[in-house]
Amino acid sequence: MFETLAFWVVVVGSFGLFAAQMSARWRLMQAAPGAFSVDQLPRRVERFVVEVVFQGKVIARKPWVGMAHLFVFWGFVAFGGYTLVETLHGLGLVDLTDTVAFTVYRVLLVPFCVAVLLGIVFLAVRRGLVRPRALGATVSKESLLIAGFIAVLMITFLLELFVLGEGPAARVNWWVHMLVIFTFLVLVPNSKHLHLILSPGTVFLKAPVLGTVPNLDFEKEEVGLETVKDLPKKAVLDAFTCVECGRCMENCPATATGKLLNPKTLVLQNEEALLAGRLDAKLSDVYDPDVLWQCTTCGACEDACPVGIEHTPVIIGARRGLVSNGEAPDYLAPVYNNLERRGNLWGQTSDVRQKFVAAAQFETFDPEKHEYLLWLGCAGGTEPDFQKSLRSLGDILRAQGKTFGVLSKERCTGDVAKRTGNEYQFQELATANVEDLQTSGVKKVVTSCPHCLKTLGHDYKAFGFEGKVVHSSVLVEQLTRYERPVRLEDEPVTFHDPCYLGRYAGEHEAPRALLERYGGDVTEPERTKDNPFCCGAGGGLLFEEHEAGTRISQTRFEQLQATGANTIVMGCPFCSIMLKGAKASTPGTDEIQMVDLMTWTEGRLRKAGRLGQADGAGTAPASEATPE
């Protein structure tokens, strides 16, 4: 009787302390503005199954660590029933311990127990002895304590099942097991292990499309995130969920090049401010100086996060708060002015674009005549190097018998305005562009700018544009997929995946298929495909001339140079500008050729004698060859 009463005290006390700690976090989350979104339910469920149930993201990036986490996670789930039965027995409520079902269940737990032991020992050695940089400069005593707790739970289970049987030693073993469980329950809310409870929710609630930043509602006088109390519900939940694994900082180009920005630190600073009650503190004071303007919005941090934390919306939201108060960096003022006066990033007059359109013999889009609208973008309308690429794309499309046209006038999509926090300017540009697209009857858009791809194809849906938007590499790859193979001498090349194409759009196979199809001997650089290293241009940093630390573009150029390929192929005008600039500042690189993918592809097709006429031999039906 005394033992049962003592256990009641342990259980009630533990749950009471747990509830008291969690209630503070619950109140902060309830007080936060906004609401959780559960749209696109099938995609959310799919991600939940892949990333939570099977730990797919963790395993894909770090297989050994991922498998260790999978063992511990499934052990945590598998032992849930065992803990419940033993707790009910200890409280004197229900005794199921002598049932056949529970006996069989305990035997089935043995492989899970062994797997958990192996996994937790591996993770403890990694954290305590190997100590990867991403986990922090010091060993987390809390993490080692929790690892010890988990090991004790598994060992006491095995002792009960195979060694002790009945008697005093068995009772001591049982008490050790249960006390560890309820001590763990008390420690969880104030530790990073709270992610065991919260991360299934954060993964499910994460936006289905990477880099989703909800539009501001100006009728509700929304201006962005200015203070800690402005953090939306999902950002508050994220702050309490961070597992401090450091995957975000490992993949952040700003952190890698010696800048102050550290995505993990930013999330932890949110948590610290929330729990300290600093709700009226400005976010610009909570974070380290200038970090908000060091983000390229490449999406590497949140794409790498195994618990569904979304960093980019918080950074852009805080930028919005600063811009609304006139606190944007000086280098953005001329950019905003150019967008307002001329509708493009570089402030070129419409005559420059019109001269290019006429010289390239691009027709004005007519839905009765043209299948595709060719979206030129700011760089396509004004930047000579990228105009060469668009000419190449036009030649390829004509050779394939595809009809296309351009708008008579074209504004910037507003990508830079949105990512730098000038939401009002973005919405003005988006509204005007969508009106033009709808008035012109545009159903299909092809663009060579991944930033335009993201903005037109995703952000503009909120403004009513439902047209199909495709990157030129994807369209050209599909159009040429069934042509007769060409015989050309192999050319060693490497391909730089733009973040907004490889990571955001998930398109990294099409560019490589084109390269290999036309004689490109592709050598992959460090950080490639769906996890590329940024060129440093995104988030408005294309216009920042005084970058702290090592220039991101320089680091990326050196990674590409290290492949040994003398031809570096790119698929984004921003990447082209940044990487060519890095090449120009690097001695001994005269032999390295920097070329856009469409220019390279057109050159190889011309060399093979494939341009000037469509190659119909072996071509699939249009319904197969053309993306719908």
Side-chain angles (χ1 to χ4, degrees), residues 98-116:
D98 291 330
T99 62
V100 174
F102 187 67
T103 301
V104 173
Y105 172 50
R106 288 196 305 169
V107 173
L108 294 176
L109 285 178
V110 173
F112 287 97
C113 179
V114 174
V116 170

Side-chain angles (χ1 to χ4, degrees), residues 61 303 497 499 502-504 506 508 512 528-532:
R61 294 284 172 87
D303 185 52
D497 292 274
C499 296
R503 181 177 293 113
Y504 276 96
H508 50 80
R512 286 166 175 78
T528 186
K529 296 185 178 179
D530 62 349
N531 187 32

Side-chain angles (χ1 to χ4, degrees), residues 289-355:
D290 302 323
V291 298
L292 292 172
W293 302 106
Q294 292 178 347
C295 175
T296 66
T297 68
C298 70
C301 51
E302 61 187 76
D303 185 52
C305 180
V307 294
I309 291 174
E310 296 174 276
H311 310 73
T312 310
V314 172
I315 292 174
I316 293 177
R319 286 177 172 181
R320 287 169 168 173
L322 292 172
V323 171
S324 68
N325 288 311
E327 299 178 42
D330 292 341
Y331 66 84
L332 287 175
V335 179
Y336 294 157
N337 187 49
N338 290 337
L339 289 172
E340 183 177 353
R341 292 175 59 245
R342 298 285 174 78
N344 68 74
L345 294 170
W346 287 278
Q348 297 281 2
T349 64
S350 59
D351 291 345
V352 176
R353 177 182 181 275
Q354 290 305 113
K355 287 179 181 178

Side-chain angles (χ1 to χ4, degrees), residues 362-411:
F362 291 162
E363 298 178 358
T364 300
F365 180 82
D366 181 344
E368 300 297 324
K369 293 174 55 180
H370 302 122
E371 181 179 0
Y372 288 94
L373 171 74
L374 174 58
W375 186 271
L376 304 181
C378 294
T382 60
E383 212 274 320
D385 281 351
F386 199 63
Q387 287 177 345
K388 180 180 179 182
S389 169
L390 289 174
R391 285 176 182 264
S392 297
L393 173 60
D395 289 345
I396 294 171
L397 293 178
R398 291 185 186 111
Q400 291 294 326
K402 288 297 170 183
T403 56
F404 64 93
V406 300
L407 293 179
S408 58
K409 293 183 179 180
E410 187 184 281
R411 303 171 195 83

